[in-house]
Amino acid sequence: MTKHRCGWCLGDPIYEAYHDEEWGVPLHDERLLFEFLILETFQAGLSWITVLKKRDNFRRAFDNFDYHLVAQYDQHKIDTLL
């Protein structure tokens, strides 16, 4: 069976996986919603593919997007992230 993909994702495996598995799929998991909130925030001024390629780095930086942990970040952790 041939996959039908939008033109904007063609040519990059990360983009194609995002298109096929995540784009347009409703989210109900709070951690995933927080992850996309953070990723969308970092997209300002960047292309979405750039953010997707750095996604694993964001996961490490933000404790796998555990918003309970992020909410407890102290000034030292914030400064480290900056």
Side-chain angles (χ1 to χ4, degrees):
M1 183 173 162
T2 303
K3 289 247 185 214
H4 295 281
R5 293 186 175 121
C6 301
W8 56 261
C9 73
L10 298 178
D12 188 294
I14 292 172
Y15 231 179
E16 290 175 356
Y18 171 75
H19 177 277
D20 295 349
E21 300 166 18
E22 297 182 86
W23 185 65
V25 177
L27 289 177
H28 304 285
D29 178 90
E30 290 179 351
R31 193 204 58 78
L32 283 172
L33 287 167
F34 183 68
E35 177 175 346
F36 276 98
L37 173 69
I38 296 299
L39 294 176
E40 288 284 350
T41 300
F42 278 94
Q43 188 199 5
L46 301 172
S47 67
W48 187 240
I49 189 61
T50 299
V51 172
L52 290 176
K53 287 180 179 181
K54 299 292 184 186
R55 194 177 198 177
D56 286 337
N57 294 332
F58 286 119
R59 282 189 180 124
R60 282 191 294 279
F62 292 103
D63 292 296
N64 201 36
F65 298 107
D66 182 332
Y67 57 91
H68 296 290
L69 292 176
V70 173
Q72 296 177 34
Y73 284 0
D74 60 13
Q75 191 60 50
H76 176 73
K77 175 66 173 182
I78 293 167
D79 292 341
T80 300
L81 289 171
L82 292 172

